[in-house]
């Protein structure tokens, strides 16, 4: 919802400094940016495999869009070759909901053995600070050394389950959630890193056609270096420039759309939306 207001003309944002590699290279987890965290997690992954150790339960702390869910997906793929089982803390009203989803995913074996041993999986709980106290107690028991928790009078063994959690508000976490899992703080992206994320997303959308560094930097700056906003903006820009290519009488193609997305054209789009060079409307 962008204000349709006129703003003074502003200069186009400078391109990335010469020492910034372009096109950007993806790191070992297939991401751009957060390289310090990637190195830390890769060391853990290698250690886990080489010594047959459990990957430690981990709490990711950071603002929205810095890669918490992407890290969970990458870890699940590297450890088990499958996707993580995702929960939003605000949506879990009772512990039974966790068991029901694990059953749907085939992680709860049938039979009468007790306690029920949950099969290996990676469980990701986003916005963990929003859990109700009852559900939080269930989860904390599963995180404890015994890895046992009771739900509806049934004991469940989570020894082979890796819990990954994320929060944008660590101040709302209890002391137990602060102390039991390892904590990793994710920093906000630099402008150049977000430009790389824009480039990667746009290249996929345009089936391999690469946007220029200058256009990606412009999009990153105009979205105030907010990852989710920048990625959603690509989803708006491509149809906009498709319409422009089509309106010019050309037969639209992904390449022509990409060629139309020059830094000047992208800048004009944001100007028309009333968004200045710093991303302010």
């Amino acid at each position: 919802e962008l204000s349709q207001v006129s703003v003074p003309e502003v200069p186009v944002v400078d391109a990335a400094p010469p020492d910034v590699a372009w096109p950007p290279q993806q790191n070992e987890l297939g991401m751009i940016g957060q390289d310090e965290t990637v190195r830390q997690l890769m060391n853990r992954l290698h250690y886990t495999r080489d010594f047959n150790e459990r990957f430690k339960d981990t709490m990711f702390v950071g603002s929205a869009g810095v890669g918490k869910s992407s890290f969970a997906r990458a870890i699940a793929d590297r450890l088990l070759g499958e996707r993580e089982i995702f929960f939003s803390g605000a949506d879990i009203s009772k512990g039974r909901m966790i068991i029901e989803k694990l059953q749907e995913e085939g992680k709860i074996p049938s039979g009468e053995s007790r306690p029920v041993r949950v099969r290996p999986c990676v469980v990701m709980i986003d916005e963990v600070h929003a859990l109700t106290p009852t559900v939080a107690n269930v989860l904390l028991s599963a995180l404890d050394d015994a890895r046992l928790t009771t739900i509806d009078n049934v004991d469940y063994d989570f020894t082979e389950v890796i819990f990954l959690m994320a929060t944008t508000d660590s101040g709302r976490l209890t002391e137990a959630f602060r102390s039991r899992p390892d904590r990793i703080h994710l920093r906000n992206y630099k402008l150049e890193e977000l430009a790389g994320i824009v480039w990667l997303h746009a290249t996929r959308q345009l089936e391999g056609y690469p946007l220029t560094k200058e256009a990606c930097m412009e999009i990153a700056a105009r979205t105030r270096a907010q990852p989710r906003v920048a990625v959603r903006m690509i989803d708006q820009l491509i149809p906009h420039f498709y319409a422009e290519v089509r309106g010019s009488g050309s037969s639209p193609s992904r390449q022509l759309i990409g060629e139309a997305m020059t830094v000047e054209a992208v800048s004009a789009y944001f100007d028309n939306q009333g968004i200045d060079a710093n991303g302010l409307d």
Side-chain angles (χ1 to χ4, degrees):
E1 295 79 23
L2 304 172
S3 304
Q4 300 295 321
V5 297
S6 60
V7 296
E9 290 189 4
V10 292
V12 173
V13 67
D14 290 337
D19 60 340
V20 175
W22 200 269
Q25 299 298 308
Q26 298 177 61
N27 54 44
E28 289 185 85
L29 291 180
M31 302 167 64
I32 292 175
Q34 303 291 359
D35 291 337
E36 305 91 340
T37 299
V38 170
R39 282 191 291 270
Q40 182 179 352
L41 290 174
M42 287 305 302
N43 287 338
R44 288 194 194 180
L45 287 166
H46 291 314
Y47 180 84
T48 297
R49 286 196 293 261
D50 289 347
F51 292 96
N52 197 29
E53 296 275 351
R54 283 189 75 259
F55 190 91
K56 290 185 177 181
D57 302 319
T58 301
M59 175 81 69
F60 293 107
V61 180
S63 56
V66 293
K68 297 183 291 292
S69 297
S70 297
F71 277 122
R73 191 171 303 116
I75 290 169
D77 180 65
R78 290 299 183 103
L79 287 177
L80 300 173
E82 60 187 39
R83 288 184 67 90
E84 79 286 6
I85 300 174
F86 183 88
F87 296 90
S88 174
D91 295 335
I92 310 174
S93 58
K94 51 187 178 181
R96 184 65 194 169
M97 296 174 69
I98 298 175
I99 299 303
E100 288 171 352
K101 189 160 186 178
L102 291 172
Q103 288 173 330
E104 292 174 7
E105 298 289 339
K107 300 302 181 181
I108 302 289
S110 58
E112 300 299 324
S113 62
R114 293 293 186 271
V116 177
R117 192 175 181 92
V118 183
R119 291 178 177 141
C121 60
V122 173
V123 171
M124 169 62 173
I125 302 180
D126 196 17
E127 300 301 329
V128 70
H129 59 262
L131 290 173
T132 65
T134 300
V135 176
N137 287 335
V138 167
L139 178 58
L140 287 169
S141 295
L143 291 170
D144 214 345
D145 292 341
R147 311 295 292 183
L148 291 173
T149 193
T150 303
I151 301 174
D152 293 344
N153 297 317
V154 178
D155 293 332
Y156 293 90
D157 183 347
F158 283 86
T159 299
E160 296 185 286
V161 176
I162 298 162
F163 285 100
L164 304 178
M165 293 153 282
T167 181
T168 56
D169 191 354
S170 60
R172 292 172 59 187
L173 296 175
T174 63
E175 180 57 34
F177 275 118
R178 292 172 183 271
S179 60
R180 294 190 190 181
D182 282 3
R183 299 178 73 191
I184 292 180
H185 291 265
L186 300 177
R187 60 172 177 76
N188 292 331
Y189 288 104
K190 300 175 184 176
L191 187 65
E192 294 82 4
E193 292 173 331
L194 185 57
I197 293 171
V198 167
W199 178 88
L200 183 62
H201 187 76
T203 300
R204 290 169 177 168
Q205 292 278 73
L206 295 172
E207 297 180 351
Y209 185 84
L211 293 187
T212 65
K213 175 172 59 178
E214 293 78 10
C216 293
M217 288 288 292
E218 184 75 10
I219 295 167
R222 297 277 187 147
T223 55
R224 288 182 288 165
Q226 298 180 80
R228 289 181 182 171
V229 178
V231 168
R232 286 198 299 266
M233 185 56 66
I234 287 293
D235 296 335
Q236 296 179 36
L237 285 168
I238 289 177
H240 169 80
F241 283 98
Y242 158 78
E244 289 207 347
V245 171
R246 193 169 183 271
S248 69
S250 301
S251 178
S253 68
R254 305 282 186 181
Q255 179 174 337
L256 286 178
I257 295 170
E259 290 175 352
M261 294 175 67
T262 63
V263 64
E264 295 81 9
V266 168
S267 177
Y269 173 86
F270 284 107
D271 287 344
N272 290 335
Q273 297 293 319
I275 302 173
D276 71 13
N278 296 311
L280 299 176
D281 62 19

